[in-house]
Amino acid sequence: MAVVKRIVLIGPPGCGKGTQAKRIEDATGMIQLSTGDMLRKAVADASPVGLKVKAVMEAGQLVSDEIIIEMVTDRIKAPDCAKGFILDGFPRSIPQAEALGSMLSENGQPLNGAIEIRVPDEFIVERITGRFTCAKCGAGYHEKFQKPVKEGVCDKCGATDFSHRKDDNEETVRTRLSAYHDVTQPIVGFYEKAGLLKVVDGTQNIDQVAASIMKVLETL
Ligand code: ADP
Ligand code: AMP
């Protein structure tokens, strides 16, 4: 089912944004735009942006609005974004949400909706400390909630090397959760006022959350 929409996924670190963005991408052809992935690539490439943001990311703090907005402004102009997109991890502050609004209205392609994946803090440490990804294809897993079918082998590409994110430790999670509540959560009210907000219960299992999101997507 090809769907061309522009949506934002909102929620604390570990709520399932990346997992669900990939599901929506596979189901609809809309593309996942993850600012976290873009920044991790910049760090791995040791690009000028990567060198600037490495320590901030490792500490679990937010990268400056200026760097992020410039990065997304460039990315959103690429031709593949015409397929529609799922923003995963952006916007994460009111200035970023305002900048997104300006970028999209300049293109004449407004946002269709903002979906909050609501998960209470007490779920988050377990979600994040159990997260790992395939080192070859990036497929996401969880030690308890989303294990590979065959232990130690990636379901998607068969590789046997996996990696854990450096910032996925209990101490950094606390900093990331504070940043979420202090700086990011106000965008929920921002989108509510704009009449764009939908909320799904992120404490359900992965398939149930995906089904709830697909139902919401049909209404946007
Ligand atoms: P985010 O992108 O919001 O930081 P992820 O999608 O990477 O979060 O999910 C964090 C971890 O929790 C991953 O290991 C993922 O497999 C797992 N996960 C995602 N959604 C759920 C869910 N609904 N129930 C249990 N575990 C989940
Ligand atoms: P994520 O992969 O979404 O968990 O993001 C990982 C880290 O990248 C965050 O903890 C921040 O340091 C940084 N980051 C990603 N997206 C943003 C954003 N929109 N604004 C500020 N920092 C971001």
Side-chain angles (χ1 to χ4, degrees), residues 14-106:
C15 72
K17 299 180 297 295
T19 304
Q20 298 300 334
K22 288 218 161 60
R23 294 271 185 123
I24 303 168
E25 186 175 72
D26 291 346
T28 66
M30 293 160 66
I31 59 169
Q32 175 191 18
L33 298 181
S34 156
T35 44
D37 286 351
M38 293 175 210
L39 292 168
R40 278 184 288 279
K41 182 170 185 317
V43 170
D45 294 348
S47 73
V49 167
L51 296 175
K52 260 192 220 162
V53 303
K54 186 171 187 278
V56 173
M57 289 177 74
E58 280 174 12
Q61 289 156 357
L62 292 176
V63 170
S64 75
D65 288 337
E66 197 189 348
I67 290 178
I68 296 286
I69 290 167
E70 192 180 333
M71 192 174 78
V72 177
T73 305
D74 281 350
R75 179 67 187 87
I76 238 163
K77 286 182 195 147
D80 60 345
C81 290
K83 295 178 192 168
F85 49 78
I86 311 125
L87 283 163
D88 157 13
F90 176 90
R92 248 177 164 108
S93 66
I94 294 282
Q96 291 182 21
E98 289 170 344
L100 176 65
S102 311
M103 284 174 221
L104 295 179
S105 63
E106 270 169 35

Coordinates of all heavy atoms in Angstrom, one line a residue, residues 14-106:
G14 N 13.7 5.2 23.4 CA 13.4 3.9 23.7 C 11.9 3.6 23.6 O 11.5 2.4 23.9
C15 N 11.1 4.5 23.3 CA 9.6 4.3 23.2 C 9.3 3.4 22.0 O 8.2 2.8 22.0 CB 8.8 5.6 23.2 SG 8.9 6.4 21.7
G16 N 10.1 3.4 21.0 CA 9.8 2.5 19.9 C 9.7 3.3 18.6 O 9.2 2.8 17.6
K17 N 10.2 4.5 18.5 CA 10.1 5.4 17.3 C 10.8 4.7 16.1 O 10.3 4.6 15.0 CB 10.7 6.8 17.5 CG 10.0 7.6 18.6 CD 10.7 8.9 18.8 CE 12.1 8.9 19.3 NZ 12.3 8.4 20.6
G18 N 12.1 4.3 16.3 CA 12.8 3.7 15.2 C 12.2 2.4 14.8 O 12.1 2.1 13.6
T19 N 11.8 1.5 15.7 CA 11.2 0.3 15.4 C 9.9 0.5 14.6 O 9.7 -0.1 13.5 CB 10.8 -0.5 16.7 OG1 11.9 -0.6 17.5 CG2 10.1 -1.8 16.5
Q20 N 9.1 1.4 15.0 CA 7.8 1.7 14.3 C 8.1 2.4 12.9 O 7.4 2.2 12.0 CB 6.9 2.5 15.2 CG 6.5 1.7 16.4 CD 5.8 0.4 16.1 OE1 5.1 0.2 15.1 NE2 5.9 -0.6 17.1
A21 N 9.1 3.3 12.9 CA 9.3 4.0 11.6 C 9.7 3.0 10.6 O 9.3 3.1 9.4 CB 10.5 5.1 11.8
K22 N 10.5 2.0 10.9 CA 10.9 1.0 10.0 C 9.7 0.2 9.5 O 9.6 -0.2 8.3 CB 11.9 0.0 10.6 CG 13.3 0.7 10.7 CD 14.4 -0.3 10.4 CE 15.7 0.5 10.1 NZ 16.2 1.3 11.2
R23 N 8.8 -0.1 10.4 CA 7.6 -0.9 10.1 C 6.8 0.0 9.1 O 6.2 -0.6 8.1 CB 6.7 -1.1 11.3 CG 7.3 -2.0 12.3 CD 6.9 -3.5 12.0 NE 7.4 -4.4 13.0 CZ 6.6 -5.2 13.7 NH1 5.3 -5.2 13.4 NH2 7.1 -6.1 14.5
I24 N 6.6 1.3 9.3 CA 5.8 2.1 8.5 C 6.5 2.2 7.1 O 5.8 2.1 6.0 CB 5.6 3.5 9.0 CG1 5.0 3.5 10.4 CG2 4.8 4.4 8.1 CD1 5.0 4.8 11.2
E25 N 7.8 2.3 7.1 CA 8.6 2.4 5.8 C 8.3 1.1 5.0 O 8.0 1.2 3.8 CB 10.1 2.5 6.2 CG 11.0 2.8 5.0 CD 12.4 3.0 5.4 OE1 13.1 2.0 5.8 OE2 12.9 4.1 5.3
D26 N 8.4 0.0 5.6 CA 8.2 -1.3 4.9 C 6.8 -1.4 4.4 O 6.5 -1.9 3.3 CB 8.5 -2.5 5.8 CG 10.0 -2.6 6.2 OD1 10.8 -2.0 5.5 OD2 10.3 -3.4 7.1
A27 N 5.8 -0.9 5.2 CA 4.4 -1.1 4.8 C 3.9 -0.1 3.8 O 3.0 -0.4 3.0 CB 3.5 -1.0 6.1
T28 N 4.6 1.1 3.7 CA 4.0 2.2 2.9 C 4.9 2.8 1.8 O 4.4 3.5 0.9 CB 3.6 3.4 3.8 OG1 4.8 4.0 4.3 CG2 2.6 3.0 4.9
G29 N 6.2 2.6 2.0 CA 7.2 3.2 1.1 C 7.6 4.6 1.5 O 8.4 5.2 0.9
M30 N 6.9 5.2 2.5 CA 7.4 6.4 3.1 C 8.8 6.2 3.7 O 9.0 5.0 4.1 CB 6.4 6.9 4.2 CG 5.0 7.3 3.8 SD 3.8 7.2 5.2 CE 4.4 8.5 6.3
I31 N 9.6 7.2 3.8 CA 11.0 6.9 4.2 C 11.2 7.4 5.7 O 10.6 8.4 6.1 CB 12.1 7.5 3.3 CG1 11.9 9.0 3.2 CG2 12.0 6.8 1.9 CD1 13.1 9.6 2.5
Q32 N 12.0 6.6 6.4 CA 12.4 7.0 7.7 C 13.5 8.0 7.7 O 14.5 7.8 7.1 CB 12.9 5.7 8.5 CG 13.4 6.0 9.9 CD 14.1 4.8 10.5 OE1 14.6 3.9 9.8 NE2 14.3 4.8 11.8
L33 N 13.3 9.1 8.4 CA 14.3 10.1 8.6 C 14.7 10.2 10.0 O 13.9 10.8 10.8 CB 13.9 11.5 8.1 CG 13.5 11.7 6.6 CD1 13.1 13.1 6.3 CD2 14.6 11.2 5.7
S34 N 15.8 9.6 10.4 CA 16.1 9.6 11.8 C 17.3 10.5 12.0 O 18.4 10.3 11.5 CB 16.5 8.1 12.2 OG 17.4 8.1 13.4
T35 N 17.1 11.5 12.8 CA 18.3 12.5 13.1 C 19.3 11.8 13.9 O 20.5 12.0 13.7 CB 17.8 13.8 13.8 OG1 16.9 13.4 14.8 CG2 17.1 14.7 12.8
G36 N 18.9 10.8 14.8 CA 20.0 10.1 15.5 C 20.9 9.3 14.6 O 22.1 9.3 14.7
D37 N 20.3 8.6 13.6 CA 21.1 7.8 12.6 C 22.0 8.8 11.8 O 23.1 8.5 11.6 CB 20.2 7.1 11.6 CG 19.5 5.9 12.3 OD1 19.9 5.5 13.4 OD2 18.6 5.3 11.6
M38 N 21.4 9.9 11.4 CA 22.3 10.9 10.6 C 23.5 11.3 11.4 O 24.6 11.4 10.9 CB 21.4 12.1 10.2 CG 20.3 11.8 9.2 SD 19.3 13.4 9.0 CE 17.7 12.7 8.6
L39 N 23.2 11.6 12.7 CA 24.3 12.1 13.6 C 25.3 11.0 13.9 O 26.5 11.2 13.9 CB 23.7 12.6 14.9 CG 22.9 13.9 14.8 CD1 22.2 14.2 16.1 CD2 23.8 15.1 14.5
R40 N 24.8 9.8 14.1 CA 25.8 8.7 14.3 C 26.6 8.4 13.1 O 27.8 8.1 13.2 CB 25.0 7.4 14.7 CG 24.6 7.4 16.2 CD 24.0 6.1 16.6 NE 22.6 5.9 16.1 CZ 21.5 6.5 16.6 NH1 21.6 7.2 17.7 NH2 20.4 6.4 16.1
K41 N 26.1 8.6 11.9 CA 26.9 8.4 10.7 C 27.9 9.5 10.6 O 29.1 9.3 10.3 CB 26.0 8.5 9.5 CG 26.8 8.3 8.2 CD 25.9 8.0 7.0 CE 26.8 7.7 5.7 NZ 28.0 8.6 5.6
A42 N 27.5 10.8 11.0 CA 28.5 11.9 11.0 C 29.6 11.6 11.9 O 30.8 11.9 11.6 CB 27.7 13.2 11.3
V43 N 29.3 11.0 13.1 CA 30.3 10.7 14.1 C 31.3 9.6 13.5 O 32.5 9.7 13.6 CB 29.7 10.3 15.4 CG1 30.8 9.7 16.4 CG2 29.0 11.4 16.1
A44 N 30.7 8.6 13.0 CA 31.5 7.5 12.4 C 32.4 8.0 11.3 O 33.5 7.5 11.2 CB 30.5 6.4 11.9
D45 N 31.9 8.9 10.5 CA 32.7 9.4 9.4 C 33.7 10.5 9.8 O 34.4 11.0 9.0 CB 31.8 10.1 8.3 CG 30.8 9.1 7.6 OD1 31.1 7.9 7.8 OD2 29.9 9.6 6.9
A46 N 33.6 10.9 11.1 CA 34.4 12.0 11.7 C 34.3 13.2 10.8 O 35.3 13.9 10.5 CB 35.9 11.5 11.8
S47 N 33.1 13.5 10.4 CA 32.8 14.8 9.6 C 32.9 16.0 10.5 O 32.8 15.8 11.8 CB 31.5 14.7 8.9 OG 30.5 14.9 9.9
P48 N 32.9 17.2 10.0 CA 33.0 18.4 10.9 C 31.8 18.4 11.9 O 32.0 18.6 13.1 CB 32.9 19.6 10.0 CG 33.5 19.0 8.7 CD 33.1 17.6 8.6
V49 N 30.6 18.0 11.4 CA 29.4 18.0 12.3 C 29.7 16.8 13.4 O 29.4 17.0 14.6 CB 28.1 17.7 11.6 CG1 27.0 17.3 12.5 CG2 27.7 19.0 10.8
G50 N 30.1 15.7 12.9 CA 30.4 14.5 13.8 C 31.3 14.9 14.9 O 31.1 14.5 16.1
L51 N 32.4 15.6 14.6 CA 33.4 16.0 15.6 C 32.8 16.9 16.6 O 33.1 16.8 17.8 CB 34.6 16.6 15.0 CG 35.4 15.7 14.0 CD1 36.5 16.4 13.3 CD2 36.0 14.5 14.8
K52 N 31.9 17.8 16.2 CA 31.2 18.7 17.1 C 30.2 18.0 18.0 O 30.1 18.5 19.2 CB 30.4 19.7 16.3 CG 31.1 21.1 16.1 CD 30.1 22.1 15.5 CE 30.8 22.9 14.4 NZ 29.9 23.6 13.5
V53 N 29.5 17.0 17.6 CA 28.4 16.5 18.4 C 28.8 15.2 19.2 O 28.0 14.8 20.0 CB 27.2 16.1 17.5 CG1 26.7 17.4 16.7 CG2 27.5 15.0 16.5
K54 N 29.9 14.6 18.9 CA 30.2 13.3 19.5 C 30.1 13.3 21.1 O 29.4 12.5 21.6 CB 31.7 12.9 19.1 CG 32.1 11.6 19.5 CD 33.4 11.2 18.9 CE 33.9 9.8 19.1 NZ 34.5 9.5 20.4
A55 N 30.7 14.2 21.7 CA 30.7 14.2 23.2 C 29.3 14.5 23.7 O 28.9 13.9 24.7 CB 31.7 15.3 23.7
V56 N 28.6 15.4 23.1 CA 27.2 15.8 23.5 C 26.3 14.5 23.4 O 25.6 14.2 24.4 CB 26.7 16.9 22.6 CG1 25.2 17.2 22.9 CG2 27.5 18.1 22.7
M57 N 26.5 13.8 22.3 CA 25.6 12.6 22.2 C 26.0 11.5 23.2 O 25.1 10.9 23.8 CB 25.8 12.0 20.8 CG 25.1 12.8 19.7 SD 25.4 12.2 18.1 CE 24.3 10.7 18.1
E58 N 27.3 11.3 23.4 CA 27.7 10.3 24.4 C 27.2 10.6 25.8 O 27.0 9.7 26.6 CB 29.2 10.1 24.4 CG 29.6 9.3 23.2 CD 31.1 9.2 23.0 OE1 31.9 9.6 23.9 OE2 31.6 8.7 21.9
A59 N 27.1 11.9 26.1 CA 26.6 12.3 27.4 C 25.1 12.3 27.5 O 24.5 12.5 28.6 CB 27.1 13.7 27.7
G60 N 24.4 12.0 26.4 CA 23.0 12.0 26.4 C 22.3 13.3 26.4 O 21.1 13.4 26.7
Q61 N 23.0 14.3 26.0 CA 22.4 15.7 25.9 C 22.0 15.9 24.5 O 22.3 15.2 23.6 CB 23.4 16.7 26.3 CG 23.7 16.7 27.8 CD 25.0 17.3 28.2 OE1 25.8 17.6 27.4 NE2 25.3 17.3 29.5
L62 N 21.2 17.0 24.3 CA 20.7 17.3 23.0 C 21.7 18.1 22.2 O 22.3 19.0 22.8 CB 19.4 18.1 23.1 CG 18.2 17.3 23.6 CD1 16.9 18.1 23.8 CD2 17.8 16.1 22.7
V63 N 21.8 17.8 20.9 CA 22.6 18.6 20.0 C 21.9 20.0 19.8 O 20.7 20.0 19.9 CB 22.8 17.8 18.7 CG1 23.5 18.6 17.6 CG2 23.6 16.5 19.0
S64 N 22.7 21.0 19.4 CA 22.1 22.3 19.3 C 21.1 22.4 18.2 O 21.2 21.7 17.1 CB 23.2 23.4 19.0 OG 23.6 23.3 17.7
D65 N 20.0 23.2 18.4 CA 19.0 23.3 17.4 C 19.6 23.7 16.0 O 19.2 23.2 15.0 CB 18.0 24.4 17.8 CG 17.1 23.9 19.0 OD1 16.9 22.7 19.1 OD2 16.6 24.8 19.7
E66 N 20.6 24.6 16.1 CA 21.2 25.1 14.9 C 21.7 24.0 14.0 O 21.4 23.9 12.8 CB 22.3 26.1 15.3 CG 22.7 27.0 14.2 CD 24.0 27.8 14.7 OE1 24.3 27.7 15.9 OE2 24.6 28.4 13.8
I67 N 22.5 23.1 14.6 CA 23.1 22.0 13.8 C 22.0 21.1 13.3 O 22.0 20.7 12.1 CB 24.1 21.2 14.7 CG1 25.3 22.0 15.0 CG2 24.5 19.9 14.1 CD1 26.3 21.4 16.0
I68 N 21.1 20.8 14.1 CA 20.0 19.8 13.7 C 19.2 20.4 12.6 O 18.8 19.7 11.6 CB 19.1 19.5 14.9 CG1 19.9 18.8 16.0 CG2 17.9 18.7 14.5 CD1 20.3 17.4 15.7
I69 N 18.8 21.7 12.7 CA 17.9 22.3 11.8 C 18.6 22.4 10.4 O 17.9 22.1 9.4 CB 17.4 23.7 12.2 CG1 16.4 23.5 13.4 CG2 16.7 24.5 11.1 CD1 16.1 24.7 14.2
E70 N 19.8 22.7 10.4 CA 20.6 22.8 9.1 C 20.6 21.4 8.5 O 20.4 21.3 7.3 CB 22.0 23.3 9.4 CG 22.7 23.7 8.1 CD 24.1 24.2 8.3 OE1 24.3 24.8 9.4 OE2 24.9 24.1 7.4
M71 N 20.9 20.4 9.3 CA 21.0 19.0 8.7 C 19.6 18.5 8.1 O 19.6 18.0 7.0 CB 21.4 18.1 9.9 CG 21.8 16.7 9.6 SD 22.4 15.9 11.1 CE 20.8 15.4 11.8
V72 N 18.5 18.8 8.8 CA 17.2 18.4 8.4 C 16.8 19.2 7.1 O 16.2 18.6 6.2 CB 16.2 18.4 9.5 CG1 14.8 18.0 8.9 CG2 16.6 17.5 10.6
T73 N 17.1 20.5 7.2 CA 16.7 21.3 6.0 C 17.3 20.8 4.7 O 16.6 20.7 3.7 CB 17.2 22.8 6.3 OG1 16.7 23.2 7.5 CG2 16.7 23.7 5.2
D74 N 18.6 20.4 4.8 CA 19.2 19.8 3.6 C 18.6 18.4 3.3 O 18.3 18.2 2.1 CB 20.7 19.5 4.0 CG 21.6 20.8 3.9 OD1 21.0 21.8 3.4 OD2 22.7 20.7 4.3
R75 N 18.4 17.6 4.3 CA 17.9 16.2 4.0 C 16.5 16.2 3.3 O 16.3 15.4 2.4 CB 17.9 15.4 5.3 CG 17.4 14.0 5.2 CD 18.4 13.2 4.3 NE 17.9 11.8 4.0 CZ 17.1 11.5 3.0 NH1 16.7 12.4 2.2 NH2 16.8 10.2 2.8
I76 N 15.7 17.1 3.8 CA 14.3 17.1 3.4 C 14.1 17.6 1.9 O 13.1 17.4 1.3 CB 13.5 18.0 4.4 CG1 12.4 17.1 5.1 CG2 12.9 19.3 3.8 CD1 11.9 17.8 6.3
K77 N 15.2 18.2 1.4 CA 15.1 18.7 0.0 C 15.4 17.5 -1.0 O 15.2 17.7 -2.2 CB 16.2 19.8 -0.2 CG 15.8 21.1 0.4 CD 16.9 22.1 0.1 CE 16.8 23.3 0.9 NZ 18.1 23.9 1.3
A78 N 15.9 16.4 -0.5 CA 16.4 15.3 -1.3 C 15.1 14.7 -2.0 O 14.0 14.6 -1.4 CB 17.1 14.2 -0.5
P79 N 15.3 14.2 -3.3 CA 14.2 13.8 -4.1 C 13.4 12.6 -3.4 O 12.2 12.5 -3.6 CB 14.8 13.3 -5.4 CG 16.2 13.9 -5.4 CD 16.6 14.3 -4.1
D80 N 14.1 11.7 -2.7 CA 13.4 10.6 -2.1 C 12.3 11.0 -1.1 O 11.4 10.2 -0.8 CB 14.4 9.6 -1.5 CG 15.2 10.1 -0.4 OD1 15.3 11.4 -0.2 OD2 15.8 9.3 0.3
C81 N 12.4 12.2 -0.6 CA 11.4 12.7 0.4 C 10.1 12.9 -0.2 O 9.0 13.0 0.5 CB 11.9 13.9 1.1 SG 13.3 13.6 2.2
A82 N 10.0 12.9 -1.5 CA 8.7 13.1 -2.2 C 7.8 11.8 -2.0 O 6.6 11.8 -2.2 CB 8.9 13.3 -3.7
K83 N 8.5 10.7 -1.5 CA 7.7 9.5 -1.2 C 6.9 9.6 0.1 O 6.2 8.7 0.5 CB 8.6 8.3 -1.0 CG 9.4 7.9 -2.3 CD 10.3 6.8 -1.9 CE 11.3 6.5 -3.0 NZ 12.4 5.6 -2.5
G84 N 7.1 10.8 0.8 CA 6.5 10.9 2.1 C 7.6 10.5 3.1 O 8.5 9.7 2.8
F85 N 7.4 10.9 4.3 CA 8.5 10.5 5.3 C 7.9 10.5 6.8 O 6.9 11.1 7.1 CB 9.7 11.5 5.3 CG 9.4 13.0 5.3 CD1 9.0 13.6 6.4 CD2 9.4 13.7 4.1 CE1 8.7 15.0 6.4 CE2 9.1 15.0 4.0 CZ 8.8 15.7 5.2
I86 N 8.7 9.8 7.5 CA 8.4 9.6 9.0 C 9.6 10.2 9.7 O 10.7 9.7 9.6 CB 8.4 8.1 9.4 CG1 7.5 7.3 8.4 CG2 7.9 7.9 10.8 CD1 8.2 6.1 7.7
L87 N 9.4 11.3 10.4 CA 10.5 11.9 11.1 C 10.6 11.2 12.5 O 9.6 11.1 13.2 CB 10.2 13.4 11.3 CG 10.5 14.2 10.0 CD1 9.9 15.6 10.1 CD2 12.1 14.4 9.8
D88 N 11.8 10.7 12.7 CA 12.0 9.9 13.9 C 13.1 10.6 14.7 O 14.3 10.6 14.3 CB 12.4 8.5 13.4 CG 13.3 7.7 14.4 OD1 13.3 8.0 15.6 OD2 13.8 6.6 14.0
G89 N 12.7 11.2 15.8 CA 13.7 11.9 16.7 C 13.9 13.4 16.3 O 14.8 14.0 16.9
F90 N 13.0 13.9 15.5 CA 13.0 15.3 15.1 C 11.5 15.6 14.8 O 10.9 14.9 14.2 CB 13.9 15.6 13.9 CG 13.8 17.0 13.4 CD1 14.6 18.0 13.9 CD2 12.8 17.4 12.5 CE1 14.6 19.3 13.5 CE2 12.7 18.7 12.1 CZ 13.6 19.7 12.6
P91 N 11.0 16.8 15.3 CA 11.7 17.8 16.1 C 11.8 17.3 17.6 O 11.0 16.5 18.1 CB 10.8 19.0 16.0 CG 9.4 18.5 15.6 CD 9.7 17.2 14.9
R92 N 12.7 17.9 18.3 CA 12.9 17.6 19.7 C 12.9 18.8 20.6 O 13.3 18.8 21.7 CB 14.3 16.9 19.9 CG 14.2 15.4 20.2 CD 15.6 14.9 20.2 NE 15.9 13.7 20.9 CZ 16.2 12.5 20.2 NH1 16.1 12.5 18.9 NH2 16.5 11.5 20.9
S93 N 12.5 19.9 20.1 CA 12.4 21.2 20.8 C 11.4 22.1 20.1 O 11.1 21.8 18.9 CB 13.7 21.9 20.9 OG 14.1 22.3 19.6
I94 N 10.8 23.1 20.8 CA 9.9 24.0 20.1 C 10.6 24.7 18.9 O 10.0 24.7 17.8 CB 9.3 25.0 21.1 CG1 8.4 24.2 22.2 CG2 8.6 26.1 20.5 CD1 7.0 23.9 21.7
P95 N 11.8 25.2 19.1 CA 12.4 25.9 17.9 C 12.5 24.9 16.7 O 12.3 25.3 15.6 CB 13.8 26.3 18.4 CG 13.6 26.5 19.9 CD 12.6 25.5 20.3
Q96 N 12.8 23.6 17.0 CA 12.9 22.7 15.9 C 11.5 22.4 15.3 O 11.4 22.3 14.0 CB 13.5 21.3 16.4 CG 14.9 21.4 16.8 CD 15.5 20.0 17.2 OE1 14.9 19.0 16.9 NE2 16.6 20.0 18.0
A97 N 10.5 22.4 16.1 CA 9.1 22.2 15.5 C 8.7 23.4 14.7 O 8.1 23.2 13.6 CB 8.1 22.0 16.7
E98 N 9.1 24.6 15.1 CA 8.8 25.8 14.4 C 9.5 25.8 13.0 O 9.0 26.1 12.0 CB 9.1 27.1 15.2 CG 8.1 27.2 16.3 CD 8.5 28.3 17.3 OE1 9.7 28.8 17.3 OE2 7.6 28.7 18.1
A99 N 10.8 25.4 13.1 CA 11.6 25.4 11.9 C 11.1 24.4 10.9 O 11.0 24.6 9.7 CB 13.1 25.1 12.2
L100 N 10.6 23.2 11.4 CA 10.0 22.2 10.5 C 8.8 22.8 9.8 O 8.6 22.6 8.6 CB 9.7 21.0 11.3 CG 9.0 19.9 10.5 CD1 9.9 19.3 9.4 CD2 8.4 18.7 11.4
G101 N 8.0 23.5 10.6 CA 6.8 24.1 10.0 C 7.2 25.0 8.8 O 6.6 25.0 7.8
S102 N 8.2 25.8 9.0 CA 8.6 26.8 8.0 C 9.1 26.0 6.8 O 8.8 26.3 5.6 CB 9.7 27.7 8.5 OG 9.4 28.3 9.7
M103 N 10.0 25.0 7.0 CA 10.6 24.2 5.9 C 9.4 23.7 5.0 O 9.5 23.7 3.8 CB 11.3 23.0 6.4 CG 12.7 23.2 7.0 SD 13.2 21.6 7.7 CE 14.0 22.1 9.2
L104 N 8.4 23.1 5.7 CA 7.4 22.3 5.0 C 6.5 23.3 4.3 O 6.0 23.0 3.2 CB 6.7 21.4 5.9 CG 7.5 20.2 6.4 CD1 6.7 19.3 7.3 CD2 8.1 19.4 5.3
S105 N 6.2 24.5 4.9 CA 5.3 25.4 4.2 C 5.9 26.0 3.0 O 5.3 26.3 2.0 CB 4.6 26.4 5.2 OG 5.6 27.2 5.7
E106 N 7.3 26.2 3.1 CA 8.0 26.7 1.9 C 7.9 25.7 0.8 O 7.8 26.1 -0.4 CB 9.5 26.8 2.2 CG 9.8 28.2 2.8 CD 11.3 28.3 3.3 OE1 12.1 27.6 2.7 OE2 11.4 29.0 4.3

